[in-house]
Amino acid sequence: MKLICDTQKLSEICSNVQRAVSTKSFIPAIEGILLNAEENQLNLTGYDLEVGVSTNMEAKVEEAGSIVLNARILCDILRSLPAETVRIESDERLVCRIKSGDAEFSLIGISAAEYPELPSVESGFPIVIGGELLKDMIRKTIFATAENDVKVVHTGVRFEIRDKKIRLVAVDGFRLAIRNEEIDYEGEEKVFVAPKKTLNEVVKLITGEETVSMNVGKRFIVFEIGSYRIVSRLLDGEFLNYQAAISGAVHATIRVNTRMLINSIERTSLIITDRAKSPIRCIFDSDLIRISSTTALGTANDRVPCSGDGEKMEIGFNNRYLLDALRVCDTDEVIVSLSSPILPILITPTEGEAFLFLVLPVRLKTE
């Protein structure tokens, strides 16, 4: 393999591909990036057997070929190179020479034959969605995925695509996030759960107004973003029946300014630390929300004006869970729906059904 290409472009691409590379594996090849040069293009692939990222770039290919190079070392070298272009050559002994300006490196590579092949998915009718829209939908749900759960399926985000609508759902046992949107899709119904790691990579690779194409199979999904292709295993298992959690009776509704509520919760959370943990206490009334917290460090009290109707209620919350939901609300005001002091609250927009966040209460100690 012999080629010349742009140093900065190659460095940027390798950094993106490296995120899909395994850092510790019994298979040395998947700790590397596969470089495959042919027909004036260089294709790069990273794959940890769960998530794979591949892309290509223009290169002056003098001799076609392929090799696997350690991802961390390759990326470190490319970031340090002094010249605008880099020359990469490898021989039959799997010795790869990287030269740029006066800098020259020699790396021992691994045969491309030892690199696992990325799964392919041909669904026949891809789902196409605006990149910025998908990025927003993921951002508004991924925070509610479980970190560690007996059900692995809850560590991902559920996609429901039907009737020209797309819904993303995430749940971790303490909260629920739903994001709805209409899309131009007339294919068959699709329901699947994509891993959190995969969706984080999708978000990072969406950089402009490009569209994202999703091909969904039984076990794998392929996201195509510009020149990048992300292949991921889907999560199996029975997802929570979340519809039951959001269909209960509502006994009070509160309309409140989103930013004012966030600021108030942040202020009353200042005395809550990892060592001094405590829920925040919220008293919802028709024209005022009183927020307070008490820890070993002291007490904090604040209040926020609101408008509403229904029963007065006092409910405790994990401050972080409540803030996570409010911070991704992109409306000036939200509606908080209350059922009882021991049942979850719902946070929704004042108009439409673009998002819904559910937060479970925390039992308060009686004073």
Side-chain angles (χ1 to χ4, degrees):
M1 180 178 73
K2 294 181 181 179
L3 64 93
I4 300 172
C5 63
D6 183 276
T7 305
Q8 184 176 349
K9 181 67 174 176
L10 180 59
S11 178
E12 177 189 330
I13 287 176
C14 279
S15 294
N16 288 333
V17 171
Q18 184 188 18
R19 293 197 297 267
V21 173
S22 177
T23 53
K24 292 181 181 179
S25 174
F26 59 90
I27 305 174
I30 65 171
E31 293 183 15
I33 292 175
L34 171 64
L35 286 77
N36 182 44
E38 58 184 8
E39 297 181 0
N40 291 323
Q41 282 211 330
L42 174 63
N43 183 274
L44 299 99
T45 302
Y47 183 38
D48 67 358
L49 302 183
E50 294 292 330
V51 180
V53 176
S54 66
T55 188
N56 55 61
M57 64 174 288
E58 289 185 5
K60 183 181 178 182
V61 178
E62 298 173 356
E63 185 178 306
S66 56
I67 193 170
V68 180
L69 298 176
N70 181 277
R72 181 186 62 80
I73 296 173
L74 176 61
C75 288
D76 287 347
I77 288 172
L78 291 173
R79 279 192 291 267
S80 72
L81 295 179
E84 292 183 359
T85 59
V86 56
R87 183 178 184 85
I88 300 176
E89 298 183 8
S90 64
D91 58 28
E92 64 280 356
R93 294 180 295 115
L94 299 176
V95 175
C96 184
R97 294 176 177 82
I98 301 172
K99 182 174 175 57
S100 178
D102 294 328
E104 186 171 352
F105 297 83
S106 180
L107 299 180
I108 304 300
I110 298 173
S111 170
E114 297 184 28
Y115 202 83
E117 185 177 353
L118 263 66
S120 60
V121 175
E122 295 296 335
S123 65
F125 203 106
I127 303 152
V128 179
I129 183 172
E132 286 300 325
L133 174 58
L134 180 61
K135 189 174 184 177
D136 179 75
M137 296 187 76
I138 294 172
R139 186 176 65 87
K140 284 183 168 64
T141 50
I142 199 168
F143 71 90
T145 54
E147 292 296 330
N148 297 294
D149 199 294
V150 176
K151 281 191 169 184
V152 177
V153 71
H154 291 153
T155 63
V157 176
R158 176 181 169 99
F159 284 64
E160 299 175 3
I161 303 165
R162 58 173 72 92
D163 300 327
K164 292 191 174 183
K165 293 180 180 179
I166 180 171
R167 166 176 283 188
L168 271 61
V169 185
V171 61
D172 69 356
F174 303 99
R175 53 196 170 163
L176 167 74
I178 298 175
R179 178 74 170 85
N180 299 302
E181 201 65 53
E182 293 185 359
I183 60 170
D184 185 17
Y185 175 72
E186 297 181 354
E188 63 181 20
E189 176 182 321
K190 300 283 186 181
V191 178
F192 57 90
V193 180
K196 181 177 184 176
K197 178 182 176 180
T198 303
L199 297 178
N200 276 328
E201 291 308 313
V202 169
V203 167
K204 289 172 184 174
L205 291 175
I206 296 173
T207 57
E209 297 299 321
E210 72 266 50
T211 58
V212 177
S213 175
M214 296 183 284
N215 275 286
V216 186
K218 290 184 178 179
R219 297 175 57 213
F220 294 92
I221 183 170
V222 177
F223 293 89
E224 293 184 6
I225 308 164
S227 64
Y228 285 91
R229 189 168 176 266
I230 302 175
V231 182
S232 172
R233 190 182 300 274
L234 296 173
L235 298 179
D236 294 325
E238 186 177 350
F239 203 82
L240 176 76
N241 179 17
Y242 66 89
Q243 292 286 1
I246 63 176
S247 58
V250 173
H251 296 124
T253 57
I254 303 293
R255 183 178 182 132
V256 61
N257 181 278
T258 311
R259 175 44 57 186
M260 290 178 68
L261 183 56
I262 290 172
N263 290 345
S264 182
I265 296 171
E266 287 177 341
R267 282 193 291 270
T268 50
S269 299
L270 292 174
I271 61 169
I272 301 173
T273 68
D274 289 338
R275 290 188 176 183
K277 292 183 178 180
S278 175
I280 59 169
R281 185 183 298 263
C282 299
I283 300 174
F284 296 91
D285 212 337
S286 59
D287 61 351
L288 207 62
I289 304 174
R290 294 178 176 84
I291 303 171
S292 63
S293 61
T294 302
T295 71
L297 298 175
T299 61
N301 293 275
D302 201 6
R303 57 186 187 178
V304 181
C306 67
S307 61
D309 55 59
E311 301 175 16
K312 178 180 178 180
M313 290 190 202
E314 182 177 20
I315 311 178
F317 296 101
N318 178 306
N319 62 314
R320 183 171 65 85
Y321 291 166
L322 200 51
L323 283 171
D324 283 348
L326 290 168
R327 283 172 178 158
V328 296
C329 295
D330 53 7
T331 54
D332 292 337
E333 294 183 318
V334 291
I335 299 294
V336 181
S337 301
L338 314 169
S339 297
S340 88
I342 60 171
L343 292 176
I345 66 164
L346 301 180
I347 301 172
T348 55
T350 55
E351 295 181 4
E353 300 177 341
F355 61 80
L356 181 150
F357 304 116
L358 177 151
V359 183
L360 265 66
V362 176
R363 190 174 297 276
L364 293 169
K365 294 180 181 179
T366 56
E367 296 182 340

Short mmCIF file of all heavy atoms in Angstrom, two decimals, residues 254-283:
data_model
loop_
_atom_site.label_atom_id
_atom_site.label_comp_id
_atom_site.label_asym_id
_atom_site.label_seq_id
_atom_site.Cartn_x
_atom_site.Cartn_y
_atom_site.Cartn_z
N ILE A 254 -49.89 22.64 36.57
CA ILE A 254 -49.18 23.88 36.86
C ILE A 254 -48.47 24.36 35.60
O ILE A 254 -47.79 23.57 34.94
CB ILE A 254 -48.14 23.68 37.99
CG1 ILE A 254 -48.80 23.15 39.27
CG2 ILE A 254 -47.35 24.95 38.24
CD1 ILE A 254 -49.72 24.13 39.93
N ARG A 255 -48.64 25.64 35.27
CA ARG A 255 -47.92 26.24 34.14
C ARG A 255 -46.85 27.15 34.73
O ARG A 255 -47.15 28.03 35.53
CB ARG A 255 -48.89 27.03 33.26
CG ARG A 255 -48.24 27.63 32.02
CD ARG A 255 -49.29 28.35 31.18
NE ARG A 255 -48.74 28.90 29.96
CZ ARG A 255 -49.28 28.76 28.75
NH1 ARG A 255 -50.42 28.07 28.63
NH2 ARG A 255 -48.73 29.29 27.69
N VAL A 256 -45.58 26.92 34.32
CA VAL A 256 -44.48 27.65 34.95
C VAL A 256 -43.41 27.99 33.91
O VAL A 256 -43.22 27.25 32.94
CB VAL A 256 -43.89 26.82 36.11
CG1 VAL A 256 -43.33 25.50 35.61
CG2 VAL A 256 -42.83 27.59 36.86
N ASN A 257 -42.69 29.09 34.15
CA ASN A 257 -41.58 29.47 33.28
C ASN A 257 -40.43 28.49 33.47
O ASN A 257 -39.97 28.25 34.58
CB ASN A 257 -41.12 30.89 33.63
CG ASN A 257 -39.98 31.36 32.76
OD1 ASN A 257 -38.82 31.04 33.01
ND2 ASN A 257 -40.30 32.13 31.73
N THR A 258 -39.96 27.92 32.37
CA THR A 258 -38.96 26.86 32.43
C THR A 258 -37.66 27.34 33.05
O THR A 258 -37.11 26.71 33.96
CB THR A 258 -38.68 26.30 31.03
OG1 THR A 258 -39.92 25.99 30.38
CG2 THR A 258 -37.83 25.05 31.10
N ARG A 259 -37.14 28.46 32.58
CA ARG A 259 -35.86 28.96 33.06
C ARG A 259 -35.94 29.35 34.54
O ARG A 259 -35.00 29.07 35.31
CB ARG A 259 -35.41 30.15 32.19
CG ARG A 259 -34.15 30.88 32.64
CD ARG A 259 -33.01 29.98 33.06
NE ARG A 259 -32.61 29.03 32.03
CZ ARG A 259 -31.72 28.07 32.24
NH1 ARG A 259 -31.18 27.91 33.44
NH2 ARG A 259 -31.40 27.23 31.29
N MET A 260 -37.03 29.97 34.95
CA MET A 260 -37.17 30.36 36.36
C MET A 260 -37.20 29.13 37.27
O MET A 260 -36.61 29.13 38.36
CB MET A 260 -38.44 31.20 36.55
CG MET A 260 -38.36 32.59 35.94
SD MET A 260 -39.89 33.53 36.15
CE MET A 260 -39.88 33.78 37.93
N LEU A 261 -37.86 28.06 36.82
CA LEU A 261 -37.92 26.85 37.62
C LEU A 261 -36.55 26.19 37.71
O LEU A 261 -36.14 25.73 38.78
CB LEU A 261 -38.95 25.89 37.02
CG LEU A 261 -39.19 24.58 37.79
CD1 LEU A 261 -39.60 24.86 39.24
CD2 LEU A 261 -40.26 23.74 37.09
N ILE A 262 -35.84 26.14 36.59
CA ILE A 262 -34.48 25.58 36.59
C ILE A 262 -33.58 26.35 37.56
O ILE A 262 -32.88 25.77 38.39
CB ILE A 262 -33.87 25.61 35.17
CG1 ILE A 262 -34.58 24.61 34.26
CG2 ILE A 262 -32.36 25.31 35.21
CD1 ILE A 262 -34.18 24.70 32.80
N ASN A 263 -33.61 27.69 37.46
CA ASN A 263 -32.76 28.51 38.32
C ASN A 263 -33.07 28.29 39.80
O ASN A 263 -32.17 28.22 40.64
CB ASN A 263 -32.93 29.99 37.97
CG ASN A 263 -32.35 30.35 36.62
OD1 ASN A 263 -31.57 29.57 36.06
ND2 ASN A 263 -32.74 31.49 36.08
N SER A 264 -34.34 28.17 40.12
CA SER A 264 -34.74 27.97 41.51
C SER A 264 -34.26 26.63 42.04
O SER A 264 -33.74 26.53 43.17
CB SER A 264 -36.26 28.08 41.64
OG SER A 264 -36.65 27.93 42.98
N ILE A 265 -34.41 25.58 41.24
CA ILE A 265 -33.95 24.25 41.67
C ILE A 265 -32.43 24.25 41.81
O ILE A 265 -31.88 23.65 42.75
CB ILE A 265 -34.42 23.17 40.68
CG1 ILE A 265 -35.95 23.09 40.67
CG2 ILE A 265 -33.82 21.81 41.04
CD1 ILE A 265 -36.50 22.20 39.57
N GLU A 266 -31.73 24.91 40.88
CA GLU A 266 -30.27 24.97 40.98
C GLU A 266 -29.83 25.68 42.26
O GLU A 266 -28.87 25.25 42.92
CB GLU A 266 -29.70 25.68 39.75
CG GLU A 266 -29.76 24.84 38.49
CD GLU A 266 -29.26 25.57 37.26
OE1 GLU A 266 -29.20 26.84 37.30
OE2 GLU A 266 -28.92 24.92 36.27
N ARG A 267 -30.53 26.76 42.63
CA ARG A 267 -30.17 27.49 43.85
C ARG A 267 -30.39 26.62 45.10
O ARG A 267 -29.53 26.56 45.97
CB ARG A 267 -30.99 28.77 43.96
CG ARG A 267 -30.49 29.90 43.06
CD ARG A 267 -31.14 31.22 43.44
NE ARG A 267 -32.56 31.24 43.12
CZ ARG A 267 -33.06 31.65 41.95
NH1 ARG A 267 -32.25 32.06 40.99
NH2 ARG A 267 -34.36 31.65 41.75
N THR A 268 -31.53 25.97 45.16
CA THR A 268 -31.82 25.17 46.36
C THR A 268 -31.00 23.87 46.38
O THR A 268 -30.96 23.19 47.41
CB THR A 268 -33.32 24.83 46.44
OG1 THR A 268 -33.75 24.28 45.19
CG2 THR A 268 -34.13 26.06 46.76
N SER A 269 -30.33 23.55 45.27
CA SER A 269 -29.48 22.35 45.23
C SER A 269 -28.04 22.64 45.65
O SER A 269 -27.23 21.71 45.73
CB SER A 269 -29.48 21.77 43.81
OG SER A 269 -30.77 21.39 43.41
N LEU A 270 -27.72 23.91 45.90
CA LEU A 270 -26.33 24.26 46.21
C LEU A 270 -25.83 23.60 47.49
O LEU A 270 -24.62 23.40 47.65
CB LEU A 270 -26.19 25.79 46.31
CG LEU A 270 -26.36 26.55 45.00
CD1 LEU A 270 -26.34 28.05 45.23
CD2 LEU A 270 -25.27 26.14 44.00
N ILE A 271 -26.72 23.26 48.41
CA ILE A 271 -26.28 22.63 49.65
C ILE A 271 -26.39 21.10 49.59
O ILE A 271 -26.15 20.41 50.58
CB ILE A 271 -27.09 23.15 50.86
CG1 ILE A 271 -28.58 22.84 50.69
CG2 ILE A 271 -26.86 24.65 51.08
CD1 ILE A 271 -29.39 23.08 51.95
N ILE A 272 -26.76 20.58 48.41
CA ILE A 272 -26.82 19.13 48.21
C ILE A 272 -25.52 18.68 47.55
O ILE A 272 -25.15 19.18 46.49
CB ILE A 272 -28.02 18.73 47.34
CG1 ILE A 272 -29.33 19.20 47.98
CG2 ILE A 272 -28.05 17.23 47.10
CD1 ILE A 272 -30.56 18.99 47.10
N THR A 273 -24.79 17.79 48.19
CA THR A 273 -23.54 17.26 47.65
C THR A 273 -23.55 15.75 47.72
O THR A 273 -24.50 15.14 48.24
CB THR A 273 -22.34 17.80 48.45
OG1 THR A 273 -22.38 17.24 49.78
CG2 THR A 273 -22.35 19.32 48.55
N ASP A 274 -22.49 15.12 47.22
CA ASP A 274 -22.40 13.66 47.29
C ASP A 274 -22.37 13.18 48.73
O ASP A 274 -22.84 12.09 49.04
CB ASP A 274 -21.15 13.18 46.56
CG ASP A 274 -21.27 13.33 45.05
OD1 ASP A 274 -22.42 13.40 44.56
OD2 ASP A 274 -20.23 13.38 44.36
N ARG A 275 -21.79 13.98 49.61
CA ARG A 275 -21.73 13.60 51.02
C ARG A 275 -22.97 14.05 51.79
O ARG A 275 -23.31 13.47 52.82
CB ARG A 275 -20.48 14.21 51.67
CG ARG A 275 -19.17 13.59 51.19
CD ARG A 275 -18.00 14.11 52.01
NE ARG A 275 -16.77 13.45 51.63
CZ ARG A 275 -15.60 13.67 52.21
NH1 ARG A 275 -15.52 14.55 53.23
NH2 ARG A 275 -14.51 13.05 51.82
N ALA A 276 -23.59 15.11 51.31
CA ALA A 276 -24.79 15.64 51.98
C ALA A 276 -25.97 15.54 51.01
O ALA A 276 -26.39 16.52 50.40
CB ALA A 276 -24.57 17.08 52.42
N LYS A 277 -26.48 14.31 50.85
CA LYS A 277 -27.56 14.08 49.90
C LYS A 277 -28.91 14.31 50.55
O LYS A 277 -29.10 14.01 51.72
CB LYS A 277 -27.47 12.66 49.35
CG LYS A 277 -26.25 12.42 48.46
CD LYS A 277 -26.28 11.01 47.89
CE LYS A 277 -25.08 10.78 46.98
NZ LYS A 277 -25.06 9.42 46.41
N SER A 278 -29.81 14.83 49.76
CA SER A 278 -31.17 15.05 50.24
C SER A 278 -32.04 15.39 49.05
O SER A 278 -31.58 16.02 48.09
CB SER A 278 -31.20 16.21 51.24
OG SER A 278 -32.53 16.51 51.62
N PRO A 279 -33.32 14.99 49.08
CA PRO A 279 -34.23 15.40 47.99
C PRO A 279 -34.61 16.87 48.15
O PRO A 279 -34.47 17.45 49.23
CB PRO A 279 -35.45 14.50 48.19
CG PRO A 279 -35.43 14.16 49.64
CD PRO A 279 -33.99 14.10 50.04
N ILE A 280 -35.05 17.47 47.06
CA ILE A 280 -35.63 18.80 47.18
C ILE A 280 -37.12 18.64 47.44
O ILE A 280 -37.75 17.70 46.97
CB ILE A 280 -35.38 19.66 45.92
CG1 ILE A 280 -35.95 19.00 44.67
CG2 ILE A 280 -33.90 19.98 45.75
CD1 ILE A 280 -35.97 19.91 43.47
N ARG A 281 -37.67 19.57 48.22
CA ARG A 281 -39.08 19.53 48.61
C ARG A 281 -39.82 20.59 47.80
O ARG A 281 -39.47 21.78 47.85
CB ARG A 281 -39.20 19.81 50.10
CG ARG A 281 -40.59 19.69 50.69
CD ARG A 281 -40.57 20.07 52.16
NE ARG A 281 -39.72 19.17 52.93
CZ ARG A 281 -40.16 18.14 53.63
NH1 ARG A 281 -41.46 17.87 53.66
NH2 ARG A 281 -39.32 17.38 54.31
N CYS A 282 -40.82 20.18 47.05
CA CYS A 282 -41.59 21.11 46.22
C CYS A 282 -43.05 21.14 46.69
O CYS A 282 -43.69 20.08 46.77
CB CYS A 282 -41.54 20.71 44.75
SG CYS A 282 -39.88 20.70 44.04
N ILE A 283 -43.55 22.32 46.99
CA ILE A 283 -44.96 22.50 47.33
C ILE A 283 -45.62 23.23 46.16
O ILE A 283 -45.32 24.39 45.89
CB ILE A 283 -45.13 23.29 48.63
CG1 ILE A 283 -44.45 22.55 49.80
CG2 ILE A 283 -46.61 23.49 48.94
CD1 ILE A 283 -44.46 23.32 51.10
#
